[in-house]
């Protein structure tokens, strides 16, 4: 337990420094307790019904392939019930894909003809659930056999932490900044690291990433325009992934704009409140102006999809529902049909730097869990349909 003593109040600079030190110490202690003993996150095991759902098969089919020894038994069988690690699910996908008559039935990776999907989530209104939505989409797709890369463009590194890398404790590895900096950038493959979640890799972030904003303001070399740097970095590793999810900082700076120039589709998460909608309107006004500037500078911006996602949705809150209806009437199919519900299940999971997919259903009220997971599944399925549309799949 960190000793609590009165804060120094003589000078604002001393107060700010002491608050920062105390917060960092508290965060380190919290994370050490959460990730002890080796400071690493691990993923729970999945029950047989969950695995059958993820693979899109019946429980009877799973029992059959185990009986025929087509798929090895999981290492954990308790009371006659099977529990699978995510790696065992991943391996089962590969085995079943080999014997499947339909290519991509169990391993839905893109073909050479299908372009890399780069989806950026952006809004400069804090609290719009950008990072929460990004990690849930990442986990949704990874559990379904896609090769996923998440790129954390927020110097605060929230998404990086949710991927099991904790700058607050100890992290001195390479970050996305090292791949996009102007002086001696490193290869993107050296930046990308695997996570504890099979199929999911991350290009992590640290506070040093904020230097890109300053450096971009002083580098005006037309041969190295800032808006090409993220796109060029992703091109180095595009053969290794199917989908890239980019989490933007809550501001419209050089990082966000460079992400926009690299993206094939955009999602703007927003909560159904007048303040958030007004802020989003201002954000998009500025974004449109900047898009025009970089197009004039030679960038080609082509988006397969440009969608709004309503987050922190409360179906019983009449004013928020009225505002949601207003948005749908105004922008029609630009607003995603699925919404991300406001849920204590998601809030509680996020506090532990988890997604709803990492939570064991029996550890919380089942109805609450089912509503939250159903909401995020619906968002994932809708994005998946749009991706398949971009790939030309039926």
């Amino acid at each position: 337990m960190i000793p609590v003593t009165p804060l120094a109040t003589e000078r604002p600079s001393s107060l700010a420094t002491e608050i920062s030190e105390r917060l960092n110490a508290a965060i380190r202690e919290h994370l050490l307790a959460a990730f002890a003993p080796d400071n690493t996150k691990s993923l729970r095991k999945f029950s047989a019904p969950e695995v059958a759902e993820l693979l899109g098969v019946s429980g009877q089919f799973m029992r059959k392939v185990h009986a025929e020894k087509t798929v090895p038994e999981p290492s954990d069988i308790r009371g006659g019930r099977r529990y699978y690690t995510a790696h065992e699910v991943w391996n089962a996908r590969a085995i079943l894909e080999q014997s499947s008559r339909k290519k991509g039935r169990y391993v839905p990776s893109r073909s050479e003809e299908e372009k890399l999907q780069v989806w950026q989530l952006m809004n400069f209104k804090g609290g719009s659930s950008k990072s929460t939505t990004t990690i849930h989409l990442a986990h949704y797709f990874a559990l379904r056999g896609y090769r996923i890369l998440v790129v954390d463009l927020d110097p605060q590194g929230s998404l990086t932490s949710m991927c099991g890398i904790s700058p607050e404790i100890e992290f001195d590895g390479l970050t996305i900044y090292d791949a996009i900096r102007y002086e001696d950038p490193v290869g993107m493959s050296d930046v990308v690291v695997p996570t504890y979640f099979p199929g999911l890799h991350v290009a992590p972030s640290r506070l040093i990433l904020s230097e890109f904003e300053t450096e971009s303001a002083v580098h005006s070399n037309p041969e190295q325009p800032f808006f090409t740097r993220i796109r060029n970095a992703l091109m180095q590793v595009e053969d290794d992934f199917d989908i890239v999810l980019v989490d933007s900082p809550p501001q419209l700076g050089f990082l966000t704009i460079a992400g926009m120039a690299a993206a094939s589709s955009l999602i703007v998460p927003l909560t159904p409140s007048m303040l958030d909608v007004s802020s989003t309107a201002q954000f998009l006004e500025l974004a449109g102006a900047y898009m025009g500037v970089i197009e004039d500078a030679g960038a080609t911006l082509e988006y397969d999809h440009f969608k709004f996602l309503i987050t922190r949705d409360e179906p019983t809150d009449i004013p928020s529902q009225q505002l949601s209806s207003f948005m749908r009437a105004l922008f029609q199919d630009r607003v995603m049909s699925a919404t991300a519900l406001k849920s204590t299940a998601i809030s509680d999971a996020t506090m532990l730097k988890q997604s709803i997919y990492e939570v064991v259903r029996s550890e919380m009220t089942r109805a609450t869990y089912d509503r939250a997971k159903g909401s995020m599944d619906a968002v994932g399925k809708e994005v998946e349909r749009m991706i398949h549309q971009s790939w030309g799949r039926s």
Side-chain angles (χ1 to χ4, degrees):
M1 180 67 68
I2 300 171
V4 178
T5 56
L7 290 166
T9 56
E10 297 83 14
R11 300 175 58 194
S13 58
S14 299
L15 178 61
T17 299
E18 188 173 348
I19 289 174
S20 172
E21 291 173 349
R22 185 173 294 191
L23 273 175
N24 284 328
I27 291 170
R28 281 194 296 271
E29 183 174 281
H30 168 75
L31 291 175
L32 284 169
F35 302 150
D38 57 358
N39 299 340
T40 58
K41 289 184 71 176
S42 60
L43 185 57
R44 70 175 176 90
K45 294 181 179 179
F46 296 85
S47 67
E50 286 180 304
V51 173
E53 179 187 357
L54 289 171
L55 296 176
V57 299
S58 66
Q60 181 181 2
F61 176 86
M62 288 302 296
R63 291 189 291 272
K64 176 176 178 290
V65 294
H66 282 310
E68 295 173 348
K69 300 187 184 304
T70 303
V71 175
E73 292 280 4
S75 56
D76 187 357
I77 301 179
R78 287 171 271 161
R81 297 181 177 181
R82 298 179 175 91
Y83 295 89
Y84 302 73
T85 66
H87 284 288
E88 288 170 335
V89 178
W90 194 266
N91 291 337
R93 282 189 180 281
I95 293 170
L96 293 173
E97 178 69 19
Q98 291 178 352
S99 58
S100 175
R101 296 178 180 177
K102 182 180 179 182
K103 179 177 172 53
R105 170 72 173 79
Y106 299 101
V107 181
S109 298
R110 66 188 179 94
S111 66
E112 292 182 359
E113 293 75 28
E114 296 169 335
K115 70 176 182 178
L116 177 68
Q117 290 292 294
V118 182
W119 285 66
Q120 181 176 23
L121 288 86
M122 63 178 202
N123 197 331
F124 67 17
K125 180 68 173 67
S128 61
S129 299
K130 290 189 306 297
S131 299
T132 300
T133 303
T134 303
I135 197 65
H136 277 87
L137 284 174
H139 288 176
Y140 173 88
F141 285 119
L143 285 172
R144 282 155 181 79
Y146 295 92
R147 301 169 300 165
I148 307 300
L149 170 64
V150 292
V151 179
D152 192 353
L153 291 186
D154 189 346
Q156 298 178 82
S158 298
L159 185 65
T160 297
S161 294
M162 295 190 78
C163 286
I165 299 174
S166 301
E168 303 94 336
I169 296 178
E170 180 180 354
F171 172 56
D172 55 4
L174 297 173
T175 69
I176 183 63
Y177 169 74
D178 296 292
I180 64 175
R181 67 193 184 199
Y182 292 87
E183 299 295 333
D184 300 319
V186 303
M188 186 66 168
S189 59
D190 294 325
V191 168
V192 171
V193 293
T195 71
Y196 65 97
F197 211 106
L200 176 61
H201 287 65
V202 59
S205 171
R206 288 181 68 193
L207 195 57
I208 186 65
L209 180 57
S210 58
E211 291 295 314
F212 184 79
E213 299 287 342
T214 305
E215 293 171 0
S216 295
V218 299
H219 278 79
S220 58
N221 185 347
E223 297 180 0
Q224 299 186 61
F226 77 91
F227 55 81
T228 64
R229 306 197 69 77
I230 293 176
R231 182 184 63 200
N232 292 342
L234 291 178
M235 287 175 61
Q236 299 172 30
V237 295
E238 64 177 330
D239 291 342
D240 299 327
F241 300 102
D242 305 311
I243 303 167
V244 177
L245 300 170
V246 181
D247 185 30
S248 304
Q251 63 186 40
L252 189 58
F254 291 106
L255 284 166
T256 299
I257 298 169
M260 289 163 52
S264 58
S265 293
L266 301 176
I267 292 180
V268 180
L270 77 159
T271 57
S273 73
M274 187 54 70
L275 284 175
D276 287 75
V277 171
S278 298
S279 175
T280 300
Q282 296 174 38
F283 170 77
L284 291 174
E285 180 181 359
L286 286 172
Y290 286 133
M291 286 178 182
V293 170
I294 62 177
E295 283 177 331
D296 291 342
T300 300
L301 300 181
E302 294 181 358
Y303 300 127
D304 296 334
H305 306 279
F306 190 146
K307 299 284 186 174
F308 293 99
L309 170 66
I310 295 174
T311 60
R312 302 177 66 82
D313 184 26
E314 295 183 81
T316 59
D317 184 273
I318 294 176
S320 70
Q321 292 306 301
Q322 290 174 335
L323 198 52
S324 296
S325 298
F326 168 77
M327 290 291 291
R328 294 188 187 282
L330 196 61
F331 298 113
Q332 300 177 26
D333 61 354
R334 290 288 182 183
V335 182
M336 289 178 58
S337 298
T339 66
L341 291 179
K342 182 179 182 180
S343 169
T344 55
I346 294 176
S347 298
D348 291 348
T350 303
M351 285 185 64
L352 295 176
K353 302 195 174 185
Q354 294 179 326
S355 76
I356 194 67
Y357 299 109
E358 298 177 85
V359 177
V360 178
R361 183 171 180 254
S362 60
E363 292 181 354
M364 60 177 58
T365 304
R366 293 192 173 187
T368 302
Y369 174 89
D370 290 343
R371 281 194 299 270
K373 182 176 178 295
S375 167
M376 299 317 300
D377 281 348
V379 173
K381 287 177 183 176
E382 187 167 348
V383 174
E384 186 177 25
R385 285 196 297 270
M386 289 187 281
I387 288 174
H388 285 187
Q389 181 182 347
S390 296
W391 283 339
R393 298 186 186 180
S394 58

